[in-house]
Amino acid sequence: MNHTFFRYFKTFFVLALLFGAENTIYGQDSLKVVVAKKGDGILSLLRKQGIDPYDHYDDFIAMNVDNLRDSIHLYAGRKYLIPPVELDTVEVVETIQKNSTKIKKIEGEDFAIFGKKHATVLEKSERLKGNVYYLVSGHGGPDPGAMAKYGNQMIAEDEYAYDITLRLAKELMSHGAFVYIIIRDENDGIRDERVLKIDHDEVAYPNKTIPLNQVARLKQRVEIVNELYRENRGKYQRLIVTHVDSRSRGQNIDVFFYHHEKSKNGKKLAESIHKTFQEKYKKFQPNRIYSGTFEDRSSLYLVKKTHPAMTFIEIGNIRSKKDQRRILDPDNRQALAKWISEGVILDYEK
Ligand SMILES: [Zn+2]
């Protein structure tokens, strides 16, 4: 957020305070400070303040970056600045109505696929306007992908890959991109739970049953993407495939980005996202990300057969206890999606 912008909201808030006699929660300053409790994440902390955590996540990070572990974790017992709420959220409209000042809500567009709570996509910029992105989350339908036990419950790769993919879709759309969510589940939406319930009703765009047979399943995805690619000929098009099963077993690497060895644009996309992650990790774990080509496994089929330039992302290993800590936390899934989206923007603008 640039400075003028920020000051504008600060000014606005001071005005709101002047008009709202019964508003006591903000004290003398326009910025509220709260102390993180044990177990608090950024999302839950903001939610408790009645703020839409997704709209204000970036501001929160920007304002508190020196006070966060790995750029995304709170320290219990420390103080955090709460971003001033902007004009375009339901919450601020409610706050303002309480303060008997009337300001119109700026409309976002609603997309049911993100679920009721996350349906509204607000426009942040037009940086990706006119671009087309195909997002494929790994597995789905009859195939849950890698599975693991968490406590006494089972968790499955496809649900986590899908959640991150939806969050990524929403980010890209907020910058004006046209996004095809290729593997889709009409009733899951973006979920803020740690344990995501396993179901098998995912379909392939627009509404195709996903076959159980692995080759048939991959072939179906390839055909759908390539058909859409033809329809969108002439536009800037990219494909991002997301999995949560890492081949990194035994290596201390969190995230892998793969690309086709012969695709210059695919390489550039993978490297742009890689670079973004590197920046985010810089202070902490610079060596825990990797990008390059890969030779093995049937996933290569997708890399080789799809026409748009693409990157294949593997976010941790759902069976690793260490990775579970990252993947099960909805704050982390949001941060991962956000970082991927920043890499995508970097790729396009570079
Ligand atoms: Zn997988």
Side-chain angles (χ1 to χ4, degrees):
M1 183 185 288
N2 74 42
H3 233 77
T4 330
F5 194 61
F6 185 72
R7 237 188 347 244
Y8 165 74
F9 284 118
K10 216 171 156 181
T11 311
F12 161 73
F13 230 82
V14 172
L15 286 174
L17 283 172
L18 291 175
F19 285 110
E22 67 209 41
N23 189 332
T24 52
I25 54 167
Y26 294 92
Q28 289 176 329
D29 197 340
S30 56
L31 289 180
K32 195 182 177 191
V33 176
V34 294
V35 177
K37 293 204 185 88
K38 196 163 179 279
D40 271 344
I42 296 175
L43 298 188
S44 61
L45 188 85
L46 290 175
R47 217 175 279 122
K48 275 190 236 164
Q49 300 305 315
I51 292 174
D52 184 329
Y54 293 96
D55 290 341
H56 300 283
Y57 190 82
D58 296 347
D59 297 345
F60 182 89
I61 303 248
M63 293 165 76
N64 295 286
V65 70
D66 297 333
N67 222 355
L68 298 168
R69 179 169 55 81
D70 289 2
S71 308
I72 47 172
H73 296 288
L74 303 173
Y75 292 100
R78 288 203 193 166
K79 286 181 188 164
Y80 291 93
L81 290 169
I82 301 299
V85 273
E86 295 167 19
L87 308 184
D88 55 7
T89 66
V90 179
E91 285 80 13
V92 79
V93 170
E94 283 165 5
T95 311
I96 289 161
Q97 275 167 355
K98 266 188 228 148
N99 295 335
S100 56
T101 315
K102 272 186 195 144
I103 285 178
K104 199 171 153 270
K105 184 192 173 197
I106 298 164
E107 296 293 335
E109 215 178 326
D110 280 2
F111 295 88
I113 194 79
F114 296 130
K116 253 200 192 121
K117 232 176 77 194
H118 294 278
T120 309
V121 178
L122 295 167
E123 189 187 301
K124 292 182 189 162
S125 83
E126 295 193 335
R127 294 167 80 178
L128 299 176
K129 200 171 177 176
N131 295 3
V132 176
Y133 294 92
Y134 306 101
L135 305 188
V136 174
S137 54
H139 312 279
D143 168 30
M147 295 182 78
K149 218 170 166 192
Y150 179 75
N152 50 13
Q153 299 175 81
M154 289 305 286
I155 51 174
E157 174 189 355
D158 70 331
E159 304 294 340
Y160 290 87
Y162 182 61
D163 192 70
I164 293 166
T165 297
L166 285 185
R167 291 169 190 270
L168 171 61
K170 197 173 170 180
E171 281 297 323
L172 299 177
M173 285 162 73
S174 75
H175 293 288
F178 196 92
V179 177
Y180 290 94
I181 300 163
I182 302 296
I183 302 306
R184 34 201 305 127
D185 185 326
E186 297 299 335
N187 51 30
D188 273 353
I190 292 173
R191 289 175 282 179
D192 293 321
E193 292 91 51
R194 292 180 67 79
V195 174
L196 302 183
K197 210 175 139 268
I198 300 171
D199 60 22
H200 303 285
D201 58 350
E202 293 88 6
V203 293
Y205 181 90
N207 199 13
K208 294 186 173 126
T209 304
I210 298 172
L212 178 59
N213 176 276
Q214 193 191 27
V215 176
R217 199 174 63 239
L218 294 174
K219 201 159 172 270
Q220 179 188 53
R221 284 161 206 219
V222 167
E223 281 168 2
I224 291 168
V225 169
N226 288 348
E227 174 64 33
L228 291 169
Y229 183 73
R230 267 191 297 278
E231 281 175 25
N232 287 302
R233 210 188 333 244
K235 293 182 186 154
Y236 180 96
Q237 305 184 53
R238 293 291 182 268
L239 163 65
I240 299 167
V241 178
T242 306
H243 281 251
V244 189
D245 54 343
S246 174
R247 69 203 66 220
S248 68
R249 248 162 271 211
Q251 299 172 47
N252 202 15
I253 289 177
D254 290 341
V255 189
F256 287 80
F257 305 100
Y258 296 104
H259 54 85
H260 192 296
E261 56 198 323
K262 291 198 182 88
S263 167
K264 249 194 185 163
N265 289 333
K267 184 166 189 267
K268 184 168 157 272
L269 176 62
E271 287 176 352
S272 298
I273 306 174
H274 179 221
K275 199 176 156 211
T276 305
F277 272 66
Q278 227 163 11
E279 296 281 308
K280 307 285 181 189
Y281 268 65
K282 198 151 60 185
K283 280 189 244 162
F284 313 101
Q285 302 125 344
N287 302 317
R288 276 164 59 179
I289 36 179
Y290 167 86
S291 74
T293 57
F294 62 152
E295 309 82 38
D296 58 340
R297 297 212 324 184
S298 53
S299 312
L300 191 58
Y301 180 89
L302 213 86
V303 179
K304 283 212 159 131
K305 299 278 183 185
T306 46
H307 295 154
M310 68 100 73
T311 182
F312 187 108
I313 306 177
E314 282 190 350
I315 296 164
N317 175 356
I318 200 157
R319 295 206 178 101
S320 134
K321 287 281 170 250
K322 180 184 121 256
D323 288 3
Q324 279 178 8
R325 249 174 274 142
R326 298 188 302 120
I327 299 154
L328 267 62
D329 181 348
D331 279 17
N332 275 348
R333 294 199 294 274
Q334 182 63 24
L336 289 166
K338 182 77 173 55
W339 295 357
I340 296 170
S341 77
E342 286 176 25
V344 167
I345 293 173
L346 179 73
D347 170 58
Y348 177 61
E349 292 181 344
K350 203 167 61 184

